[in-house]
Amino acid sequence: MAFWNKEIETMPRAELEKLQLSLLKKQVRTMYDSSKFIHDRMKAAGLSPADITDMGSFRKMPFMRKTDFRDNYPDGLFIRPYEDLVRLHVSSGTTGKPTVVGYTRKDLDLWAESLTRGMVSFGMTKHDLVQNSHGYGLFTGGLGVHYAAEKLGATVLPASTGNTERQIQLMKDLHVTAFVGTPSYLFHIADTCDKMGVDMRRDTNVRLAIAGGEPWSESMRAKIQDRTGIHIHNCYGASEFNGPSFLECEEQAGLHVWADLCIMEVLDKNGDQCADGEKGELVITMLQKEAFPLIRYKIGDVSALDWEKCECGRTHPRLMMLSGRTDDMLVVRGVNVFPSQIESVIGEIPYLSTFYHITLENENYMDDMTVEVELNESSIADDMVKLGRMARQVEDRLKSALNISTKVRLVLPDTLKRFEGKAQHVTDNRKYD
Amino acid sequence: MKNENIITQLSIFINNEPGRLAAVAGILKEFNIDVKGFNLAESTEFGILRAIVDDPDRAYDIIRSQGVIVKKTDVIGIAIRDSPGSFFEAADVLGKAGMNIDYGYAYSNKDFDFLFVRVDDAEKAAEVLKDAGIKLIEKSEI
Ligand SMILES: [Zn+2]
């Protein structure tokens, strides 16, 4: 079994926890001194850095939430000046405002380190040729995986998204051995291979893949592995804590969450720590981030953590496959979508009422989002061409706000179901089996 | 003076659900609304019944009171002789005047064959067509 950083990766739990505590104390002190936001929050909670002496006192620290990013848009939570930053990434936020994340050189280094350890843990080496079909750009997926694979010494093909037939052609011609993308894109690749008469087992050298960025399931993994003969390793990450960060080892028994980089808590409904293997809300603290530190961040994902030592020899806790959200965030084709974003677009268009409904479907695990919205009675045109034009206009506005395409259906007033109390805006009919 | 060539059409909006069109037809029958001509347009979301009726103001109030979405739309009726060329003549006149026909549908009674058309500015369209010698139907002739 190969390791990237064997000393850390196999450190006994007690030592790891000691390391976590010392990193944590230092991080809290830095944040208290350089982040007005954290300083004020800690003051309000009656805490000073000296109070954080163990994990028990750490749990008194107030939570950070997605709304804190919005309130401090664009860079109010950065604690380093721009001269120390070497990169920015941007992801969607809950309303019109996106979330901007800054990185120092060390941040990029540790981000890559986190993924490189994971890549090695399932057998990737410098001999691999890695085709990266995550989007390059503001999204963290493309560049995140890119730098980690380079750090490993593998050869990266920065294919980015789209043009599936060409991707498959390159996969064959260049003898690609490892593929990175979303689970649904893997299915799309497999379907396109079938159409092109390409047999992944016979005609390509792909043996490993990393898949993440959207919800999926063990049965989906079994299906696609069976179809393609590729070992597919789950990936977890979010731009708030760098980007894609944690991977499964060759055991495929949960993602190794590097305890020297991250404290991952799992909390039950009462806010108490869940037992090993018990599902709850994930709360993330990054121990070594410099530019944009996170402390007790409620990311909104639900899963379980298992500290039992992995068969591979690694001692760090393993995160199970995500099983839900605590908020109304939707992941559609790998993009985070909040119903509030859709609501604010609708609110800006005078011929639309405030009544809308979102329906999600998937075919071959490729998501489709339809937004039905009621027209204002005074704005209904009796001309199909005009109505069609209005629908296209709403689709364009949604596309520029959400970065993904939606189908818009303009319906008559009083057509959509009315709900008592909190409106149920979403019907999710997607299947992951 | 009111322009006798401007015809009030009712646009009745009906959801694409079983029984909805029948329900609207029931209202028209129950309240003795005399439909002279109509056209049904459909999108995937809903249909639009465009109807020329006797006393459109009364019909409008009745339909509305039954909870159905209805709008008044100005259209003009272009008389067409037995040759299809007469429609193209009218379309050509409007086109040259920079006016676009949104939609149209045919209708006949014992005296005339004509085409109801919807344009953005019905008053102006009526003027342009009459100047070109094209016969327009008057309200009383329907
Ligand atoms: Zn392992």
Side-chain angles (χ1 to χ4, degrees):
Chain A
M1 165 58 65
F3 292 88
W4 180 254
N5 191 337
K6 189 168 185 182
E7 193 193 337
I8 290 278
E9 290 175 50
T10 59
M11 187 178 271
R13 181 171 178 181
E15 275 178 60
L16 268 177
E17 287 179 336
K18 227 159 77 186
L19 176 62
Q20 283 188 317
L21 188 60
S22 81
L23 288 166
L24 177 67
K25 286 179 183 170
K26 196 170 150 232
Q27 187 76 340
V28 169
R29 164 60 70 187
T30 307
M31 289 174 79
Y32 186 82
D33 290 344
S34 39
S35 163
K36 183 178 174 340
F37 172 80
I38 293 294
H39 192 99
D40 292 350
R41 281 277 171 98
M42 286 181 69
K43 275 257 158 114
L47 289 170
S48 82
D51 296 324
I52 310 300
T53 52
D54 56 14
M55 291 310 280
S57 51
F58 163 63
R59 284 171 197 142
K60 291 186 188 133
M61 285 285 292
F63 294 112
M64 285 174 76
R65 292 183 167 80
K66 191 111 189 159
T67 47
D68 295 329
F69 303 152
R70 181 195 64 201
D71 298 343
N72 292 280
Y73 178 84
D75 53 10
L77 296 179
F78 293 4
I79 60 167
R80 286 295 187 92
Y82 276 89
E83 64 190 80
D84 291 350
L85 303 190
V86 292
R87 199 191 301 162
L88 299 175
H89 278 290
V90 180
S91 68
S92 51
T94 49
T95 52
K97 284 184 181 150
T99 300
V100 182
V101 187
Y103 304 78
T104 63
R105 175 100 37 213
K106 187 187 167 202
D107 288 335
L108 289 184
D109 239 33
L110 285 177
W111 177 15
E113 160 92 19
S114 178
L115 271 179
T116 309
R117 287 184 200 169
M119 288 171 176
V120 172
S121 78
F122 62 77
M124 255 174 78
T125 70
K126 64 181 181 181
H127 300 291
D128 276 298
L129 203 155
V130 185
Q131 180 164 352
N132 183 11
S133 78
H134 277 317
Y136 281 70
L138 294 176
F139 174 58
T140 51
L143 288 171
V145 168
H146 183 102
Y147 278 81
E150 277 192 2
K151 191 183 185 83
L152 173 63
T155 312
V156 186
L157 177 66
S160 201
T161 52
N163 206 338
T164 307
E165 294 195 2
R166 191 179 64 173
Q167 297 232 10
I168 292 166
Q169 193 64 47
L170 290 170
M171 190 183 275
K172 281 173 63 182
D173 296 348
L174 295 169
H175 307 293
V176 167
T177 59
F179 186 84
V180 187
T182 57
S184 59
Y185 196 58
L186 274 164
F187 277 89
H188 186 59
I189 289 265
D191 291 344
T192 311
C193 278
D194 288 350
K195 277 185 206 134
M196 293 167 71
V198 173
D199 179 334
M200 291 277 266
R201 283 186 174 81
R202 187 192 65 210
D203 303 327
T204 79
N205 291 356
V206 183
R207 61 189 181 96
L208 299 169
I210 297 173
E214 62 188 13
W216 66 316
S217 67
E218 287 298 346
S219 64
M220 278 173 75
R221 166 151 64 190
K223 265 187 207 166
I224 189 74
Q225 289 194 151
D226 192 47
R227 269 180 82 176
T228 60
I230 304 172
H231 284 271
I232 300 170
H233 297 269
N234 205 3
C235 181
Y236 179 58
S239 65
E240 296 97 307
F241 62 91
N242 283 338
S245 298
F246 306 119
L247 288 164
E248 282 174 322
C249 68
E250 60 182 18
E251 299 293 328
Q252 295 183 324
L255 305 105
H256 285 288
V257 176
W258 309 117
D260 58 317
L261 302 177
C262 172
I263 295 176
M264 194 173 276
E265 299 171 81
V266 186
L267 301 184
D268 66 17
K269 285 211 161 64
N270 305 318
D272 295 324
Q273 304 285 322
C274 289
D276 253 23
E278 191 190 333
K279 272 185 203 167
E281 176 175 12
L282 302 184
V283 177
I284 289 171
T285 298
M286 294 304 284
L287 293 168
Q288 301 196 47
K289 272 187 96 188
E290 290 185 332
F292 182 87
L294 276 188
I295 195 148
R296 301 203 87 204
Y297 173 53
K298 287 194 162 205
I299 191 153
D301 287 318
V302 174
S303 185
L305 207 62
D306 193 343
W307 270 94
E308 198 190 328
K309 189 175 162 184
C310 185
E311 290 292 323
C312 72
R314 289 174 180 82
T315 49
H316 297 240
R318 282 167 291 135
L319 177 69
M320 302 303 125
M321 224 173 216
L322 299 185
S323 59
R325 294 283 307 172
T326 58
D327 59 11
D328 55 3
M329 188 180 93
L330 308 165
V331 181
V332 184
R333 269 170 263 147
V335 176
N336 297 349
V337 174
F338 291 90
S340 55
Q341 291 174 286
I342 291 168
E343 202 166 312
S344 78
V345 168
I346 288 170
E348 288 164 8
I349 300 176
Y351 49 82
L352 301 179
S353 82
T354 57
F355 294 100
Y356 69 96
H357 191 80
I358 302 163
T359 305
L360 296 165
E361 314 265 352
N362 63 350
E363 195 170 329
N364 264 330
Y365 309 113
M366 205 55 97
D367 297 335
D368 261 325
M369 179 160 70
T370 302
V371 178
E372 289 172 290
V373 53
E374 288 184 8
L375 288 157
N376 272 329
E377 185 161 344
S378 60
S379 313
I380 307 173
D382 88 323
D383 171 356
M384 290 301 169
V385 178
K386 273 182 198 149
L387 286 166
R389 221 179 284 138
M390 286 152 84
R392 298 298 85 75
Q393 188 183 30
V394 180
E395 285 175 350
D396 289 347
R397 296 276 291 269
L398 285 172
K399 171 139 199 199
S400 67
L402 306 175
N403 292 317
I404 51 162
S405 314
T406 55
K407 279 185 212 136
V408 168
R409 289 164 51 96
L410 301 180
V411 301
L412 295 176
D414 233 16
T415 300
L416 298 176
K417 211 168 156 188
R418 301 296 195 256
F419 293 97
E420 304 251 329
K422 195 172 183 285
Q424 289 162 332
H425 287 301
V426 183
T427 303
D428 195 340
N429 292 327
R430 291 179 293 182
K431 293 193 171 57
Y432 298 104
D433 48 37
Chain B
M1 195 188 100
K2 268 185 140 181
N3 189 332
E4 277 302 306
N5 297 121
I6 306 295
I7 315 290
T8 302
Q9 168 201 277
L10 297 184
S11 303
I12 304 165
F13 296 85
I14 305 166
N15 264 321
N16 287 346
E17 286 163 32
R20 288 302 303 152
L21 184 59
V24 170
I27 294 168
L28 299 176
K29 186 162 180 279
E30 186 189 340
F31 292 93
N32 293 315
I33 295 167
D34 187 11
V35 179
K36 303 287 190 183
F38 73 93
N39 156 269
L40 191 61
E42 263 183 287
S43 72
T44 50
E45 286 77 30
F46 53 84
I48 306 172
L49 177 66
R50 297 167 181 142
I52 305 294
V53 299
D54 233 11
D55 197 351
D57 292 335
R58 170 184 164 264
Y60 174 87
D61 291 340
I62 289 168
I63 294 166
R64 222 184 136 73
S65 74
Q66 300 299 304
V68 175
I69 299 168
V70 55
K71 289 185 163 242
K72 291 180 192 172
T73 312
D74 288 342
V75 295
I76 48 178
I78 301 168
I80 43 176
R81 281 153 282 160
D82 287 335
S83 76
S86 51
F87 167 62
F88 294 107
E89 195 188 322
D92 188 48
V93 169
L94 289 173
K96 283 189 174 132
M99 306 186 79
N100 188 40
I101 297 176
D102 292 333
Y103 57 79
Y105 50 101
Y107 169 69
S108 314
N109 65 15
K110 61 183 175 17
D111 304 314
F112 303 102
D113 290 329
F114 49 94
L115 194 72
F116 288 115
V117 299
R118 158 79 183 150
V119 289
D120 265 347
D121 186 343
E123 299 259 354
K124 192 182 161 204
E127 210 178 288
V128 170
L129 289 167
K130 282 205 286 195
D131 286 351
I134 290 167
K135 151 93 182 143
L136 298 183
I137 195 143
E138 296 191 357
K139 277 179 194 158
S140 57
E141 293 173 314
I142 295 173

